[in-house]
């Protein structure tokens, strides 16, 4: 649908053996694949408009659902696909998908489910069926990162729509001061600001407790939400969101104990045997763009946490013994979720594997720190384990290095595009 420019085709044809070129060629083709896969994930033919599947896999495992978290992170990338689109028709195409996503999100908010109803905690529900109805089966719920991530994406959508002359649409669907909230962003901000103190399940859907990841994305949603609220003439709400964001900020130090050189992913965990060292800490600062202040991307404690995780994963997974690719170029460590993970993509009493999205996140982390060549080692790792088709599942089998778990995980592609954006900020400066 979006053909490579003739220039990139030439590059593909003629620069096949230069090793540095190998990665940059792959980045071009993988970007195209990622955009196509996201295109397919949003508004699949047999689903409601705006629903985003986590994976097209309908069995073993069944990931054919709209997960609030995955969808928000995917829609966030759609914003940038929209920004980059060169023709009006392409722009309209992606903006339509984003508006459909917003409308479907609003419908999710109003759908009664096992977490509750619109007025009582229903916004903590982690996933919905692709046609809209709730999924009433036992699950790790609530997951309170979802509404925060969704708000973060919808806030950015609101700014784009305003720029596009569509303020009335924003007021009707995304934000007005009207209370009780009857718009999507306001409803999410109300939910977050009133419920952030309550324990919930983590982003991996496995443990109830207080989570660094959830707190950071909630804090960021409230901060950015407050700015939007002021723009829409809702100063009292803005003050309230800001006060709650400050309170969240002050709780972040609870995740740090000087005795250990890493930030705990979870406190008050209901499964104390589970690792509290977790890539969730790094994902938190990246996905919420938390790049200034205590425990932000620039805080050495986040860097130390990443270093501890890297040393554990480098010995946990056999594929990390392969240190270079066929051209002798360095392969960065393949990262999983957390050490001794037992979810293999299908069974939970098994052995966990590296994941594409966490490996992409480490690349992104280094790019954001301005370290092009270091970041590239992790995308080269991703390239090394990606088949020629560009297909990326959830996981990378720890011994064989092949795709494992849900096929074509939409989040794998979104995380790739996110890393690539951070990379282009450095290369465009050069
Ligand atoms: C599926 C979840 O999404 C995954 O994170 C978890 O590890 C397994 N179920 C087991 O609960
Ligand atoms: C399992 C992951 O642990 C969770 O974070 C994700 O939301 C679901 N799979 C769907 O991709």
């Amino acid at each position: 649908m979006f053909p490579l420019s003739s220039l990139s085709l030439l590059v593909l044809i003629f620069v096949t053996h230069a090793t540095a070129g190998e990665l940059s060629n792959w980045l071009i083709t993988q970007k195209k694949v990622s955009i196509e896969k996201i295109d397919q994930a949003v508004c699949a033919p047999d689903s409601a408009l705006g629903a985003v599947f986590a994976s097209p896999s309908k069995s073993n495992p069944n990931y054919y659902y709209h997960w609030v978290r995955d969808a928000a992170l995917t829609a966030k990338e759609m914003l940038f696909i929209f920004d980059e689109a060169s023709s009006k028709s392409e722009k309209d195409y992606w903006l339509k998908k984003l508006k459909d996503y917003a409308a479907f999100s609003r419908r999710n908010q109003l759908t009664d489910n096992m977490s509750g109803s619109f007025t009582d905690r229903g916004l903590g529900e982690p996933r919905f069926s692709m046609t809209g109805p709730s999924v009433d089966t036992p699950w790790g719920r609530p997951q309170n990162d979802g509404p925060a991530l969704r708000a973060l994406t919808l806030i950015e959508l609101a700014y784009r729509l305003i720029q596009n002359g569509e303020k009335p649409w924003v007021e009707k669907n995304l934000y007005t001061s009207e209370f009780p909230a009857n718009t999507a962003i306001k409803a999410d901000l109300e939910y977050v600001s009133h419920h952030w103190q309550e324990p919930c399940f983590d982003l991996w859907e496995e443990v109830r407790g207080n989570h660094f990841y959830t707190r950071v994305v909630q804090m960021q949603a409230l901060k950015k939400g407050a700015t939007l609220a002021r723009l829409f003439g809702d100063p009292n709400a803005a003050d309230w969101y800001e006060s709650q964001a400050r309170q969240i900020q002050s709780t972040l130090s609870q995740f740090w104990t000087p005795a250990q050189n890493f930030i705990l992913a979870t406190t008050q965990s209901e499964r104390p045997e589970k690792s509290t060292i977790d890539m969730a800490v790094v994902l938190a600062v990246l996905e919420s763009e938390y790049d200034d202040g205590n425990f932000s991307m620039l805080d050495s404690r986040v860097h130390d946490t990443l270093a501890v995780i890297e040393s554990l994963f480098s010995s946990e997974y056999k594929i990390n013994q392969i240190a270079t690719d066929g051209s002798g170029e360095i392969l960065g460590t393949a990262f999983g979720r957390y050490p001794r993970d037992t979810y293999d993509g299908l069974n939970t009493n098994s052995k966990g594997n590296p994941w594409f999205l966490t490996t992409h996140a480490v690349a992104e982390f280094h790019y954001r720190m301005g370290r092009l060549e270091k970041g590239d080692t992790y995308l080269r790792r991703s390239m090394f384990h990606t088949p020629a088709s560009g297909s990326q599942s959830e996981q990378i089998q720890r011994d064989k290095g092949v795709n494992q778990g849900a096929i074509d995980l939409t989040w794998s592609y979104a995380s790739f595009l996110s890393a690539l954006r951070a990379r282009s900020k450095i290369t465009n400066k050069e």
Side-chain angles (χ1 to χ4, degrees), residues 43-283:
C43 315
D46 52 352
S47 69
L49 284 180
V52 184
F53 60 61
S55 154
S57 176
K58 293 183 178 173
S59 61
N60 299 322
N62 184 356
Y63 272 38
Y64 199 69
Y65 295 101
H66 175 94
W67 256 273
V68 176
R69 167 184 37 262
D70 300 45
L73 294 169
T74 303
K76 179 182 175 188
E77 292 313 311
M78 286 165 46
L79 295 166
F80 297 99
I81 301 173
F82 162 79
D83 289 346
E84 275 192 20
S86 45
S87 68
K88 169 137 189 353
S89 63
E90 254 184 62
K91 278 204 185 283
D92 289 348
Y93 179 81
W94 288 100
L95 201 57
K96 161 88 167 54
K97 278 192 190 257
L98 282 157
K99 286 163 127 180
D100 288 343
Y101 161 73
F104 188 69
S105 296
R106 180 71 187 139
R107 179 172 162 195
N108 295 160
Q109 290 178 338
L110 296 170
T111 300
D112 289 355
N113 59 68
M114 283 177 79
S115 296
S117 62
F118 176 63
T119 49
D120 183 29
R121 296 187 172 77
L123 271 65
E125 184 69 0
R127 55 177 196 162
F128 292 85
S129 68
M130 287 294 290
T131 46
S134 61
V135 186
D136 300 333
T137 49
W139 205 253
R141 59 166 65 84
Q143 295 176 18
N144 289 344
D145 58 318
L149 293 167
R150 182 168 59 198
L152 282 167
T153 294
L154 293 178
I155 289 166
E156 294 305 319
L157 174 61
Y159 289 124
R160 281 164 178 78
L161 287 167
I162 293 169
Q163 262 223 313
N164 213 34
E166 298 190 60
K167 192 163 184 201
W169 198 93
V170 175
E171 283 169 335
K172 181 157 182 284
N173 298 284
L174 297 181
Y175 201 97
T176 51
S177 58
E178 211 155 316
F179 189 82
N182 65 355
T183 45
I185 297 173
K186 175 107 181 162
D188 278 339
L189 297 177
E190 289 300 316
Y191 179 76
V192 171
S193 61
H194 287 282
H195 298 285
W196 65 266
Q197 316 216 16
E198 297 168 11
C200 66
F201 275 78
D202 67 319
L203 83 164
W204 308 132
E205 323 193 276
E206 295 180 323
V207 51
R208 194 192 302 271
N210 299 328
H211 312 287
F212 182 86
Y213 177 90
T214 307
R215 289 277 167 92
V216 168
V217 299
Q218 289 172 325
M219 173 182 79
Q220 290 296 89
L222 292 173
K223 279 195 219 158
K224 296 184 186 190
T227 307
L228 189 78
R230 280 188 211 291
L231 185 68
F232 281 86
D234 199 3
N236 295 338
D239 288 346
W240 161 250
Y241 301 147
E242 273 164 0
S243 74
Q244 295 307 301
R246 276 194 300 275
Q247 281 201 42
I248 296 177
Q249 178 117 33
S250 71
T251 70
L252 295 183
S253 57
Q254 295 166 8
F255 295 87
W256 176 254
T257 46
Q260 51 214 347
N261 208 25
F262 63 86
I263 298 166
L264 298 171
T266 302
T267 61
Q268 313 277 308
S269 169
E270 283 188 2
R271 285 175 58 191
E273 78 286 359
K274 211 193 127 189
S275 171
T276 52
I277 176 122
D278 194 311
M279 270 301 284
V281 168
V282 177
L283 295 180

Side-chain angles (χ1 to χ4, degrees), residues 4-29:
L4 289 176
S5 69
S6 44
L7 179 64
S8 38
L9 276 176
L10 277 180
V11 171
L12 276 179
I13 293 163
F14 291 114
V15 193
T16 42
H17 290 294
T19 48
E22 207 182 309
L23 179 69
S24 28
N25 290 338
W26 182 74
L27 296 179
I28 294 167
T29 51

